[in-house]
Amino acid sequence: MNSLLRHIDTPPWIERLPRPLVLGGVIGVLIVYSLAVGFMFGTNRQLIGFALLALPLGLIGLTLLLYRFEWFVLILPLTGLAMRPLSLPAGNGSELPISMLLTLALSGIWIVSMITHRTWQLVPSPLNKPLLAMMAICIFSIPWGALWADPILDWWIMGNFRFAQIASLLSLLGLMCIPFLVGRFIQHEWQIKAYLGMFVVCGGLMTIAQVLNINHVILTDAGLWGLWFGVTLAGIIFLQPQVPWGWRLAGGALLILHIWLVAVRNSLWISGWLPTFVALILMAFLISRRLFFILILLVGLNLAFGPGRSYIDSVIHDNIEEGGLGRLEIWARNLWIVQNHWLFGTGVAGYAPYNMTYFRYDARSTHNNYFDILAQFGVVGFGIWIWFAIVSLYYGWKTIQLAPQGILRTTAIIATAGWAAAQFSMMLGDWILPFLYNQGVPGFKYTMYSWVFIGLLISVRQLIERRAEA
């Protein structure tokens, strides 16, 4: 705290004021503040009273944000992994998670800093252009979708749609800001290790809690948590040198327990466990082609002649019984809407009013991020996303080739394999860009996991290049 206070300078205009005047002003403000808090609670206006009580904490938090910015970037994954109850009510039963609020605050402060100092602080990366273009198309799609909306749309049934649409836009922009923040402010190996440790520790606790049926409210075991926990744990125990064998065995046992949990106990949730297996297989490919082909051969034999065949048959049967084939009809409807709004789409969450107008009694989201992107942002936005996906995967591949043995190479393999599997998962759900009427704005706290690892790829690459220059 002392080091923090040394960085805070008293404004010159306050130093020129008489000290009794300054002291009297401070006391006067405290008296008025105390009376206001008491009045609000005394007149049954508890919400405003609590807001006033939280004001000093907000000022302290803002001060810390301004003077210890990198601390908050460091704990950013933790706000998604282990701070599920912390959120701000947004009305209509919705909420703004603390992870989203912190990301937007960090991004806003950083943008203002760049404008004030007239400096471009984004880390040089081939990911910058497609990611900035995707953010621009998200913003542009809202006025475009409103301008070219079908005139017979039933807006009344959507309630306060524009407010919800703006909130969803902020969540998408916040997710896309995460790689920029992590890539710029995570600059040391110990910070990268801290990030990986957060996912291993929190993911391990999530696995144990689910196995033991512990009803917790802290951890966010949703979305692709299983993918990022599994691939991170596997990378550390199999790739990281100098890990004691005792820890490797314990980690291996935990990984097996996790695979049993997601693939056997939660087998019906295909979009939850299949991306994890894809990530582990892709990790094997990035480590050793021989290991990859052996693994593929074993998996193929198991599916053809072993117990895996009956397992897959059972999973397919259960999903059909649950109505899994209904997605084909949903996608067909989505394409019917897109054909009249194909250029820049219907806007963020914009195809929901079309479903509620034309398919009111059977309106459903696509549960497919690729169809979501096509409907919301048109073929232009879809093309930009494919551009970003290809560039980011190639960037990860090249980073692996450049990385030396150790934590940098391990992280590059984890992030690249996991991000490739996350692209696959987009066909099964909206785990990367949450759709407003499915995951919703609260989905920010677990969809952010994948974006954190894209940022780690940028951090790893910067560390490698700095060492090469040195």
Side-chain angles (χ1 to χ4, degrees):
M1 183 60 72
N2 290 334
S3 61
L4 171 63
L5 294 175
R6 283 198 297 269
H7 289 280
I8 302 177
D9 297 324
T10 304
W13 63 271
I14 291 182
E15 293 181 345
R16 289 194 292 267
L17 293 175
R19 188 170 295 276
L21 181 62
V22 174
L23 183 60
V26 171
I27 294 174
V29 168
L30 289 175
I31 292 174
V32 172
Y33 170 75
S34 301
L35 290 174
V37 171
F39 177 76
M40 291 304 166
F41 280 106
T43 55
N44 254 346
R45 301 175 185 175
Q46 285 88 351
L47 185 60
I48 301 177
F50 282 119
L52 288 174
L53 284 176
L55 185 60
L57 295 177
L59 292 174
I60 294 172
L62 179 61
T63 303
L64 288 173
L65 272 174
L66 293 173
Y67 291 94
R68 283 295 180 265
F69 191 88
E70 65 279 4
W71 290 1
F72 289 89
V73 178
L74 184 62
I75 68 166
L76 189 57
L78 203 58
T79 62
L81 287 164
M83 298 185 185
R84 192 170 74 180
L86 298 182
S87 60
L88 182 69
N92 297 325
S94 186
E95 61 182 25
L96 303 177
I98 186 65
S99 52
M100 174 180 165
L101 296 174
L102 178 60
T103 301
L104 292 176
L106 292 171
S107 303
I109 291 171
W110 190 25
I111 291 170
V112 170
S113 173
M114 285 190 281
I115 294 173
T116 303
H117 295 92
R118 298 180 181 180
T119 57
W120 182 255
Q121 297 179 19
L122 293 187
V123 172
S125 162
L127 277 63
N128 291 350
K129 288 182 179 179
L131 199 49
L132 290 172
M134 194 68 207
M135 296 172 76
I137 201 69
C138 289
I139 297 171
F140 177 74
S141 72
I142 290 184
W144 175 272
L147 181 64
W148 294 100
D150 288 5
I152 67 169
L153 290 184
D154 188 352
W155 294 106
W156 291 101
I157 200 172
M158 298 304 300
N160 196 357
F161 175 72
R162 294 303 176 193
F163 175 79
Q165 190 179 39
I166 296 300
S168 182
L169 172 65
L170 290 175
S171 74
L172 298 183
L173 296 179
L175 289 170
M176 296 179 200
C177 284
I178 290 175
F180 295 137
L181 286 168
V182 175
R184 170 65 178 82
F185 295 100
I186 300 301
Q187 301 178 336
H188 305 284
E189 280 194 12
W190 72 267
Q191 294 172 320
I192 294 175
K193 291 177 181 179
Y195 266 41
L196 299 181
M198 292 176 197
F199 278 90
V200 169
V201 172
C202 292
L205 292 174
M206 293 175 194
T207 298
I208 294 170
Q210 286 200 19
V211 169
L212 300 179
N213 293 317
I214 298 174
N215 185 20
H216 62 83
V217 295
I218 302 298
L219 304 171
T220 311
D221 46 355
L224 298 179
W225 77 272
L227 184 160
W228 290 111
F229 167 62
V231 75
T232 302
L233 180 60
I236 291 174
I237 62 177
F238 294 131
L239 300 180
Q240 190 61 15
Q242 298 178 346
V243 174
W245 276 104
W247 285 108
R248 292 186 194 273
L249 292 174
L254 183 58
L255 182 61
I256 292 172
L257 180 65
H258 175 71
I259 291 173
W260 171 84
L261 171 70
V262 298
V264 178
R265 184 163 160 180
N266 300 334
S267 61
L268 189 62
W269 188 35
I270 295 179
S271 63
W273 63 262
L274 188 54
T276 304
F277 277 80
V278 172
L280 294 174
I281 291 173
L282 290 174
M283 174 178 281
F285 176 81
L286 295 173
I287 297 171
S288 166
R289 306 299 181 271
R290 180 180 299 177
L291 175 63
F292 170 75
F293 286 114
I294 291 174
L295 188 60
I296 289 294
L297 179 62
L298 292 175
V299 171
L301 291 174
N302 183 45
L303 294 178
F305 306 107
R309 183 172 182 176
S310 60
Y311 168 77
I312 294 297
D313 290 340
S314 173
V315 170
I316 293 174
H317 176 269
D318 291 343
N319 273 271
I320 292 175
E321 288 292 319
E322 195 188 40
L325 294 180
R327 293 194 180 198
L328 300 177
E329 182 182 355
I330 297 171
W331 297 343
R333 292 178 185 176
N334 186 272
L335 292 175
W336 179 81
I337 294 171
V338 169
Q339 68 181 355
N340 293 321
H341 303 272
W342 59 271
L343 186 58
F344 292 107
T346 59
V348 175
Y351 73 83
Y354 290 82
N355 276 338
M356 291 300 294
T357 300
Y358 297 117
F359 314 105
R360 178 169 300 183
Y361 299 105
D362 191 29
R364 289 175 285 174
S365 59
T366 67
H367 298 279
N368 183 310
N369 252 168
Y370 290 110
F371 279 105
D372 282 346
I373 292 171
L374 183 62
Q376 294 176 102
F377 313 122
V379 294
V380 176
F382 187 83
I384 292 173
W385 180 265
I386 297 301
W387 174 28
F388 170 62
I390 293 173
V391 169
S392 57
L393 290 172
Y394 182 72
Y395 184 77
W397 172 267
K398 293 299 294 182
T399 302
I400 292 171
Q401 308 307 312
L402 296 172
Q405 291 292 333
I407 193 63
L408 297 184
R409 180 176 172 82
T410 299
T411 304
I413 291 175
I414 290 170
T416 304
W419 181 244
Q423 296 300 307
F424 168 79
S425 78
M426 291 173 66
M427 296 186 294
L428 306 172
D430 49 334
W431 302 129
I432 306 299
L433 296 174
F435 183 65
L436 176 61
Y437 295 102
N438 193 35
Q439 306 300 331
V441 174
F444 184 99
K445 55 181 170 283
Y446 48 84
T447 52
M448 70 178 292
Y449 300 160
S450 301
W451 295 96
V452 165
F453 280 88
I454 287 293
L456 283 182
L457 264 182
I458 299 174
S459 297
V460 168
R461 187 67 166 265
Q462 292 306 301
L463 278 169
I464 295 170
E465 292 178 357
R466 284 206 299 270
R467 290 182 180 181
E469 293 173 359

